Amino acid sequence: MSMPAGMTILVVAAALIYFGVAQRMLDKMRLTDTQALLFIGLMVAGSFITVPILSGRTNIGLNVGGTLVPLGIVIYLLVTADSAYERIRASIAAVVTAAIIFGIAQYTDFDPSSGAIIDPLWLFSIVAGIVGYLAGRSRRAAFIAGVLGILLTDVVHAVRARMANMNTTTVLGGAGVFDAMVIAGIIAVALAELVGEARERLTGGPGVPDGLEREGEE
Amino acid sequence: MMRRVFLLALIITALLFAVGRIVLAERLDGGYYTLVDEDGRSITMTARHLDIGDAYIAADNKRYEVVAISGDEVQVRYTETITLPEVDSSAFRTQVGGTSPSGERVVGIYHTHNDESYVPSSGTESRDDGRGDILQVGRALADAMENLGFTVIWSDNSHLPHDGQAYTRSRRTAMELLEKEPITLIDVHRDATPPEVYETEIEGQPATKVRIVVGRQNQNREANLEYAKRIKAVADEEFPGIIEGIFDARGNYNQDLGPRMILLEFGAHTNYLEHAQQAAEFFAKVIPAAAGIEPGQAQAADKEIGAPAGRSVFWILGIAAAVLIVYLVINRQGLGSITSFFRREAGLGGTSDDDPGQENG
């Protein structure tokens, strides 16, 4: 969009905060600053690449920045998880998140006339954050739940659409770095971080030195 | 472990309860709410469930806030009469006369709910094949704007089914359209109210009214609300009565993706498609002046929509700063750590009590 100064500043400020928060949140999952920046760079660059998977009445595609890169991070997190138990918990969190999102999506269309209280973009992210944190009590589980939660519901939709030969277009992660999948992952970690830290601070904490990772703890 | 399972169950129950409330809030019984002011006057009707605090700018520019809801009656309180921006309509007339706009200015149109249809015209309110009547309304808007010399990218991408993830899917279409750098992006819908809410006659022709919806839950809300007011200003001047009102509604509707992203509702399912198409043809002349696409309008539009955008920057930065400070206080035990955080971020060195992720930073 061609834009005047006020709008340009608004868009740039929002983008900078978004990328800043994204970098911080990746940072919180045992990724170094460099790795976090690299992943964000890959997501932005990958946003411009969409690979068609199926075409015809049911159009299904896959955006590299919005799907493959966050999925790569999820796999990295699962591989480097402390224990098999943690991996299982994170995976269960992802499935539960997907199930809740799918359930909510069947109930309402979030149209202006539906009276929905909060936009699905934010609601689904919050669901992922709560479930991920409760299931794993960890930022990484929250991220995995957020990303995989949205991805799984998209995949379920794509399969159902294909089977029903439905006239629809689904590009997994199609909005790239601004896709619901990435946003859900980031908000989920932020929520886990804020809630987790506040709770531990209020209850005196688990006795772990300040700033150390607390993933996988009761 | 049991405690966690219990907590999870509690959260899921709460979420389902919240969603249940949303479902119950939908008027599926064919009924509708009537907005009534302090003096008992009926302001408008809507099938939309309203919540206390919601705002509605009526056709006469009076702004109301919902204060109480009782049965089908929604009590609203008059807050103020808003002043619409002054949009010079001389440029509008020039453009209507056929002058080509200067430069290549693009408009994007898409449909989140591409199944939406009009019962009196096609016998159904929703088409399962995704080729709803609403596409013809979007097409009418696109054709009319193209005839006026603008470049329009119209997407008939289907985002079926019409469920809670439709906006997530249409977000991808919106991003695809944004790559073409449109000056404005319009999500064309129809409402679900009794027909009389939207029925009207403009310049002797039957047409539907149009309701503008601005999503409140995003950082571009002020810029988009200003844009909505500009649309109303131009429309009131050139096609009096065509605007039903402006909803400053809960939700986001993908309007976080940029300023000048707007949702328009052309009539309801109980109105005629042909009337909605007629409204779209009129609207094709309104959008360019409001968005500042045509000669002589760009500067004023940029200034007016840019100013609230500039204001939004301050509160975004304010919120970001507040969240950062809360986070640091929680995370680092005390205010003293904030100083060390900023010292370290500024490269002045600082304490090493930070998270391990910072080691390479």
PDB file of all heavy atoms in Angstrom, chain B residues 125-137:
ATOM      1  N   GLU B 125     -29.682 -18.817   1.431  1.00  0.00           N
ATOM      2  CA  GLU B 125     -28.835 -17.804   2.062  1.00  0.00           C
ATOM      3  C   GLU B 125     -27.363 -18.170   1.997  1.00  0.00           C
ATOM      4  O   GLU B 125     -26.497 -17.363   2.276  1.00  0.00           O
ATOM      5  CB  GLU B 125     -29.268 -17.582   3.511  1.00  0.00           C
ATOM      6  CG  GLU B 125     -29.184 -18.818   4.387  1.00  0.00           C
ATOM      7  CD  GLU B 125     -29.638 -18.512   5.809  1.00  0.00           C
ATOM      8  OE1 GLU B 125     -28.804 -18.074   6.595  1.00  0.00           O
ATOM      9  OE2 GLU B 125     -30.834 -18.707   6.099  1.00  0.00           O
ATOM     10  N   SER B 126     -27.082 -19.418   1.626  1.00  0.00           N
ATOM     11  CA  SER B 126     -25.695 -19.870   1.592  1.00  0.00           C
ATOM     12  C   SER B 126     -25.529 -20.978   0.565  1.00  0.00           C
ATOM     13  O   SER B 126     -26.318 -21.925   0.541  1.00  0.00           O
ATOM     14  CB  SER B 126     -25.311 -20.388   2.987  1.00  0.00           C
ATOM     15  OG  SER B 126     -24.101 -21.090   2.933  1.00  0.00           O
ATOM     16  N   ARG B 127     -24.531 -20.833  -0.300  1.00  0.00           N
ATOM     17  CA  ARG B 127     -24.339 -21.867  -1.331  1.00  0.00           C
ATOM     18  C   ARG B 127     -23.142 -22.743  -0.993  1.00  0.00           C
ATOM     19  O   ARG B 127     -22.015 -22.270  -0.830  1.00  0.00           O
ATOM     20  CB  ARG B 127     -24.154 -21.217  -2.702  1.00  0.00           C
ATOM     21  CG  ARG B 127     -25.495 -20.880  -3.340  1.00  0.00           C
ATOM     22  CD  ARG B 127     -25.344 -20.319  -4.702  1.00  0.00           C
ATOM     23  NE  ARG B 127     -24.622 -21.201  -5.620  1.00  0.00           N
ATOM     24  CZ  ARG B 127     -24.638 -21.039  -6.939  1.00  0.00           C
ATOM     25  NH1 ARG B 127     -25.351 -20.062  -7.473  1.00  0.00           N
ATOM     26  NH2 ARG B 127     -23.944 -21.841  -7.717  1.00  0.00           N
ATOM     27  N   ASP B 128     -23.392 -24.055  -0.926  1.00  0.00           N
ATOM     28  CA  ASP B 128     -22.360 -25.004  -0.524  1.00  0.00           C
ATOM     29  C   ASP B 128     -21.213 -25.103  -1.524  1.00  0.00           C
ATOM     30  O   ASP B 128     -20.134 -25.570  -1.196  1.00  0.00           O
ATOM     31  CB  ASP B 128     -22.979 -26.406  -0.357  1.00  0.00           C
ATOM     32  CG  ASP B 128     -23.946 -26.438   0.815  1.00  0.00           C
ATOM     33  OD1 ASP B 128     -23.851 -25.524   1.657  1.00  0.00           O
ATOM     34  OD2 ASP B 128     -24.787 -27.355   0.867  1.00  0.00           O
ATOM     35  N   ASP B 129     -21.472 -24.716  -2.771  1.00  0.00           N
ATOM     36  CA  ASP B 129     -20.408 -24.850  -3.768  1.00  0.00           C
ATOM     37  C   ASP B 129     -19.448 -23.655  -3.751  1.00  0.00           C
ATOM     38  O   ASP B 129     -18.517 -23.570  -4.557  1.00  0.00           O
ATOM     39  CB  ASP B 129     -21.000 -25.038  -5.172  1.00  0.00           C
ATOM     40  CG  ASP B 129     -21.800 -23.820  -5.621  1.00  0.00           C
ATOM     41  OD1 ASP B 129     -21.948 -22.871  -4.817  1.00  0.00           O
ATOM     42  OD2 ASP B 129     -22.278 -23.817  -6.766  1.00  0.00           O
ATOM     43  N   GLY B 130     -19.683 -22.724  -2.840  1.00  0.00           N
ATOM     44  CA  GLY B 130     -18.766 -21.596  -2.710  1.00  0.00           C
ATOM     45  C   GLY B 130     -18.970 -20.506  -3.746  1.00  0.00           C
ATOM     46  O   GLY B 130     -18.212 -19.557  -3.810  1.00  0.00           O
ATOM     47  N   ARG B 131     -19.993 -20.640  -4.579  1.00  0.00           N
ATOM     48  CA  ARG B 131     -20.261 -19.616  -5.596  1.00  0.00           C
ATOM     49  C   ARG B 131     -21.468 -18.773  -5.172  1.00  0.00           C
ATOM     50  O   ARG B 131     -22.433 -18.619  -5.925  1.00  0.00           O
ATOM     51  CB  ARG B 131     -20.520 -20.258  -6.976  1.00  0.00           C
ATOM     52  CG  ARG B 131     -19.447 -21.200  -7.480  1.00  0.00           C
ATOM     53  CD  ARG B 131     -18.105 -20.555  -7.629  1.00  0.00           C
ATOM     54  NE  ARG B 131     -18.105 -19.407  -8.515  1.00  0.00           N
ATOM     55  CZ  ARG B 131     -17.073 -18.576  -8.684  1.00  0.00           C
ATOM     56  NH1 ARG B 131     -15.962 -18.756  -7.991  1.00  0.00           N
ATOM     57  NH2 ARG B 131     -17.146 -17.562  -9.514  1.00  0.00           N
ATOM     58  N   GLY B 132     -21.400 -18.267  -3.965  1.00  0.00           N
ATOM     59  CA  GLY B 132     -22.507 -17.480  -3.429  1.00  0.00           C
ATOM     60  C   GLY B 132     -22.740 -16.194  -4.204  1.00  0.00           C
ATOM     61  O   GLY B 132     -21.860 -15.705  -4.915  1.00  0.00           O
ATOM     62  N   ASP B 133     -23.957 -15.648  -4.043  1.00  0.00           N
ATOM     63  CA  ASP B 133     -24.314 -14.403  -4.715  1.00  0.00           C
ATOM     64  C   ASP B 133     -23.346 -13.268  -4.384  1.00  0.00           C
ATOM     65  O   ASP B 133     -23.180 -12.336  -5.172  1.00  0.00           O
ATOM     66  CB  ASP B 133     -25.721 -13.952  -4.280  1.00  0.00           C
ATOM     67  CG  ASP B 133     -26.788 -14.932  -4.724  1.00  0.00           C
ATOM     68  OD1 ASP B 133     -26.494 -15.759  -5.613  1.00  0.00           O
ATOM     69  OD2 ASP B 133     -27.908 -14.870  -4.180  1.00  0.00           O
ATOM     70  N   ILE B 134     -22.740 -13.354  -3.212  1.00  0.00           N
ATOM     71  CA  ILE B 134     -21.884 -12.265  -2.757  1.00  0.00           C
ATOM     72  C   ILE B 134     -20.740 -12.011  -3.755  1.00  0.00           C
ATOM     73  O   ILE B 134     -20.267 -10.881  -3.907  1.00  0.00           O
ATOM     74  CB  ILE B 134     -21.346 -12.552  -1.330  1.00  0.00           C
ATOM     75  CG1 ILE B 134     -20.869 -11.271  -0.662  1.00  0.00           C
ATOM     76  CG2 ILE B 134     -20.264 -13.618  -1.319  1.00  0.00           C
ATOM     77  CD1 ILE B 134     -21.957 -10.295  -0.327  1.00  0.00           C
ATOM     78  N   LEU B 135     -20.333 -13.078  -4.469  1.00  0.00           N
ATOM     79  CA  LEU B 135     -19.273 -12.909  -5.471  1.00  0.00           C
ATOM     80  C   LEU B 135     -19.735 -11.934  -6.557  1.00  0.00           C
ATOM     81  O   LEU B 135     -18.944 -11.137  -7.074  1.00  0.00           O
ATOM     82  CB  LEU B 135     -18.910 -14.252  -6.122  1.00  0.00           C
ATOM     83  CG  LEU B 135     -18.302 -15.329  -5.214  1.00  0.00           C
ATOM     84  CD1 LEU B 135     -17.959 -16.571  -6.026  1.00  0.00           C
ATOM     85  CD2 LEU B 135     -17.056 -14.816  -4.517  1.00  0.00           C
ATOM     86  N   GLN B 136     -21.030 -11.998  -6.879  1.00  0.00           N
ATOM     87  CA  GLN B 136     -21.538 -11.106  -7.921  1.00  0.00           C
ATOM     88  C   GLN B 136     -21.587  -9.650  -7.448  1.00  0.00           C
ATOM     89  O   GLN B 136     -21.489  -8.729  -8.249  1.00  0.00           O
ATOM     90  CB  GLN B 136     -22.929 -11.559  -8.359  1.00  0.00           C
ATOM     91  CG  GLN B 136     -22.896 -12.954  -9.009  1.00  0.00           C
ATOM     92  CD  GLN B 136     -24.260 -13.350  -9.510  1.00  0.00           C
ATOM     93  OE1 GLN B 136     -24.883 -12.606 -10.240  1.00  0.00           O
ATOM     94  NE2 GLN B 136     -24.724 -14.520  -9.102  1.00  0.00           N
ATOM     95  N   VAL B 137     -21.729  -9.480  -6.141  1.00  0.00           N
ATOM     96  CA  VAL B 137     -21.700  -8.125  -5.597  1.00  0.00           C
ATOM     97  C   VAL B 137     -20.265  -7.584  -5.682  1.00  0.00           C
ATOM     98  O   VAL B 137     -20.032  -6.448  -6.119  1.00  0.00           O
ATOM     99  CB  VAL B 137     -22.204  -8.108  -4.127  1.00  0.00           C
ATOM    100  CG1 VAL B 137     -22.144  -6.700  -3.557  1.00  0.00           C
ATOM    101  CG2 VAL B 137     -23.614  -8.659  -4.038  1.00  0.00           C
TER     102      VAL B 137
END
